[in-house]
Amino acid sequence: MHGETIYYQPAIETMSREEIEKLQVKRLKETITQATKSPFYRAEYSKIGVDASTITSINDIRKLPFTTKADLRDSYPFGLVVDGMKDKVVRLHSSSGTTGHPTVICHSQHDLDQWAMRVARSLYMVGVRETDVFQNSSGYGMFTGGLGFQYGAEKLGALTVPAAAGNTPRQIKFIQDFDTTVIHAIPSYTSRLYEGFVEMGIDVKKETNLKILLIGAEPHTDEQRKKIEANFGAKAYNSFGLSEMSGPGVAFECTYQDGLHIWEDCYIVEIVNPETLEPVADGEIGELVLTTLDRDAMPIIRYRTRDLTRFIVGDCACGRTHRRIDRVKGRSDDMFIVKGVNIFPMQIEKVLMEFEQIGTNYLITIANVGSNDEIKIEVELNTMFTDDYSKLEKLGKEITRKLRDEILITPKVLLVGKNSLPQQDGKAVRVSDLRDK
Ligand code: ADP
Ligand code: ZN
């Protein structure tokens, strides 16, 4: 028998900036030494003449080239795996390859253990304990939200329910029968789950023990989160990760819900201007660039995530010193341009979620109408709302007006009944661009 393992490590989580940077420099040098044993980095780094000795301070990282998704694809499948580590690789994950090869990430047992530690640490931070029952509604398999959370929650010692994706009535039965207290779900699935409770006539607030939701893997606004929290009567914490950086457990909100702590003992974080590739000023939005510091089989250095975020300036009330990033507002490629205006889906979601008559599911369609581009936004109403036509018309007008103020273009807003938009398995697709390319 042993006591409860505490996954709060103040010696690491509250290190001074100086100590963090010292650790990062040491680990970065080790990472470079390890990475240059892979065919990809060996070729890249010898071409420009950089190696571990290039690094004497943290800012020297800027002397190293970026690694892009295209690099990973071009080296498919094993070009970034360190020589001699191939036999030590025990699992690979791959992220969806919509075009060309998918990207493949290989993990040694050490890499998996470190990943599980980060997830356990993140879960502990938001109050998950070994007495909790943790249900995971993520797809298992190649999607890292499945196994990533699974091993992290097991390491923490929670009772895990690997329910996997879909089958809402079964999820609900498990939540009730096993007294699930914590659930991990992608934000778009939480609304289906909530609808499921409503349809089954179960009051999720009174008839379940759910107290914590972990939501992530896709962009969502704070307004959407608040809706989710109100629906479930539980706290919802933002979880950020990507397969290339292992998966969940890269950055996580603490209980103050004011930005996501990024685990700086395991990653070097940079935010750069996507055009100039120079660091942005603290607090300014740019592209997140990440370097792994504790991966053996397949280290990745200065990975351009294409995710847009900013550093939250100042100290966090929780006392952790690892820097916080703001919720990711999307990938640079989520942005669409209509009539010369750059628009992010999250700008639209933010406005929609302000209306309590609106549910959480919506779909943005952009199409050529005559010689013009038109934005159509279909929005599901929530359960409680009236079918009084004049009220709906008024609501539609009000939403259109607020959207125009936000995106400077007048969209066509269509209010549709709940559950009438296509349900997606996996991550929600918010935008459908039907324009001729
Ligand atoms: P895929 O590329 O197939 O979607 P991943 O699971 O690796 O595979 O996706 C990681 C991406 O998902 C991130 O780069 C980011 O764009 C998005 N993402 C993950 N977590 C969040 C989050 N909490 N908020 C916003 N976006 C997120
Ligand atoms: Zn904090």
Side-chain angles (χ1 to χ4, degrees):
M1 292 296 287
H2 57 89
E4 185 186 10
T5 315
I6 297 182
Y7 274 94
Y8 175 52
Q9 297 163 283
I12 293 172
E13 295 173 50
T14 66
M15 273 179 160
S16 68
R17 182 84 343 233
E18 219 180 6
E19 286 170 317
I20 290 178
E21 288 185 1
K22 207 169 138 208
L23 179 68
Q24 288 184 328
V25 168
K26 177 174 163 280
R27 291 193 169 171
L28 176 59
K29 287 166 92 69
E30 290 163 4
T31 296
I32 295 172
T33 304
Q34 181 76 350
T36 43
K37 292 184 214 150
S38 74
F40 172 79
Y41 283 110
R42 188 166 45 238
E44 289 289 301
Y45 283 18
S46 65
K47 228 178 351 197
I48 53 167
V50 288
D51 60 23
S53 70
T54 308
I55 307 296
T56 51
S57 80
I58 196 68
N59 288 335
D60 289 335
I61 195 170
R62 293 189 213 146
K63 297 178 182 159
L64 306 175
F66 292 97
T67 306
T68 63
K69 196 156 188 121
D71 292 329
L72 298 194
R73 288 206 173 113
D74 294 345
S75 332
Y76 177 87
F78 300 127
L80 269 78
V81 176
V82 168
D83 287 351
M85 284 302 289
K86 189 91 175 291
D87 292 340
K88 301 257 183 266
V89 168
V90 293
R91 195 198 306 159
L92 63 75
H93 278 279
S94 136
S95 88
S96 57
T98 22
T99 51
H101 290 308
T103 56
V104 170
I105 307 297
C106 295
H107 300 276
S108 67
Q109 189 56 54
H110 162 87
D111 299 335
L112 295 180
D113 290 344
Q114 284 297 106
W115 178 13
M117 177 280 294
R118 281 191 295 278
V119 173
R121 187 198 279 178
S122 306
L123 293 174
Y124 197 91
M125 176 166 70
V126 296
V128 184
R129 297 291 180 268
E130 65 178 18
T131 43
D132 278 300
V133 180
F134 170 84
Q135 185 165 325
N136 193 1
S137 72
S138 273
Y140 279 63
M142 288 300 195
F143 179 53
T144 56
L147 291 172
F149 268 103
Q150 181 64 32
Y151 284 104
E154 281 180 10
K155 199 171 199 58
L156 183 76
L159 168 56
T160 60
V161 183
N167 200 338
T168 302
R170 196 178 69 130
Q171 298 279 357
I172 291 174
K173 183 171 167 50
F174 287 168
I175 291 171
Q176 289 204 298
D177 294 355
F178 305 144
D179 269 343
T180 299
T181 52
V182 183
I183 189 158
H184 170 239
I186 55 176
S188 51
Y189 184 66
T190 60
S191 49
R192 279 161 77 182
L193 188 60
Y194 177 69
E195 287 306 326
F197 277 107
V198 173
E199 274 160 27
M200 290 165 78
I202 300 166
D203 183 341
V204 62
K205 290 186 200 154
K206 297 209 181 97
E207 296 173 67
T208 76
N209 279 330
L210 279 178
K211 58 172 189 184
I212 297 174
L213 281 81
L214 310 168
I215 53 172
E218 62 184 14
H220 56 286
T221 53
D222 199 42
E223 288 73 13
Q224 162 110 288
R225 178 255 287 285
K226 288 193 179 115
K227 250 186 193 186
I228 294 169
E229 290 189 328
N231 283 344
F232 284 86
K235 283 282 179 193
Y237 296 106
N238 193 350
S239 150
F240 171 82
L242 60 159
S243 326
E244 292 83 355
M245 293 290 121
S246 297
V250 174
F252 223 90
E253 261 178 352
C254 67
T255 49
Y256 288 88
Q257 296 181 308
D258 185 14
L260 295 84
H261 289 285
I262 201 154
W263 298 124
E264 292 192 87
D265 54 328
C266 309
Y267 301 99
I268 292 177
V269 198
E270 300 170 81
I271 300 181
V272 303
N273 176 315
E275 260 122 55
T276 64
L277 300 178
E278 290 300 318
V280 296
D282 267 6
E284 248 173 54
I285 290 193
E287 179 178 342
L288 184 67
V289 172
L290 294 170
T291 298
T292 64
L293 290 178
D294 62 355
R295 262 200 346 215
D296 266 359
M298 188 171 157
I300 301 184
I301 300 169
R302 301 197 87 197
Y303 183 65
R304 287 189 61 181
T305 64
R306 297 179 299 172
D307 288 322
L308 299 171
T309 184
R310 61 188 184 98
F311 282 119
I312 305 268
V313 184
D315 299 331
C316 185
C318 78
R320 289 181 182 79
T321 48
H322 295 222
R323 274 181 297 178
R324 289 166 297 157
I325 53 166
D326 201 355
R327 59 179 56 249
V328 166
K329 71 175 208 171
R331 299 191 199 193
S332 44
D333 28 347
D334 289 340
M335 190 187 79
F336 55 91
I337 303 177
V338 176
K339 297 178 184 160
V341 183
N342 299 350
I343 301 169
F344 278 96
M346 286 307 112
Q347 287 177 275
I348 293 174
E349 178 178 302
K350 186 172 172 332
V351 172
L352 297 178
M353 294 304 133
E354 281 168 22
F355 292 87
E356 59 176 22
Q357 304 93 326
I358 295 299
T360 45
N361 204 5
Y362 62 94
L363 179 67
I364 304 164
T365 308
I366 313 152
N368 305 115
V369 178
S371 56
N372 268 327
D373 289 348
E374 193 180 83
I375 309 181
K376 180 174 81 178
I377 305 174
E378 291 164 280
V379 200
E380 282 187 9
L381 294 164
N382 76 16
T383 31
M384 323 306 173
F385 195 57
T386 168
D387 51 7
D388 178 329
Y389 184 73
S390 67
K391 277 193 186 155
L392 285 179
E393 202 182 0
K394 199 162 152 251
L395 176 65
K397 281 195 178 139
E398 178 69 5
I399 294 175
T400 309
R401 191 179 61 74
K402 287 220 164 156
L403 281 168
R404 190 189 48 226
D405 290 348
E406 173 68 37
I407 61 175
L408 310 174
I409 286 177
T410 309
K412 198 168 156 191
V413 174
L414 287 177
L415 300 174
V416 300
K418 66 159 185 146
N419 296 339
S420 56
L421 290 176
Q423 301 277 20
Q424 291 140 0
D425 283 331
K427 300 190 185 197
V429 178
R430 300 297 192 189
V431 182
S432 158
D433 194 339
L434 306 176
R435 290 177 291 187
D436 309 326
K437 290 282 160 5

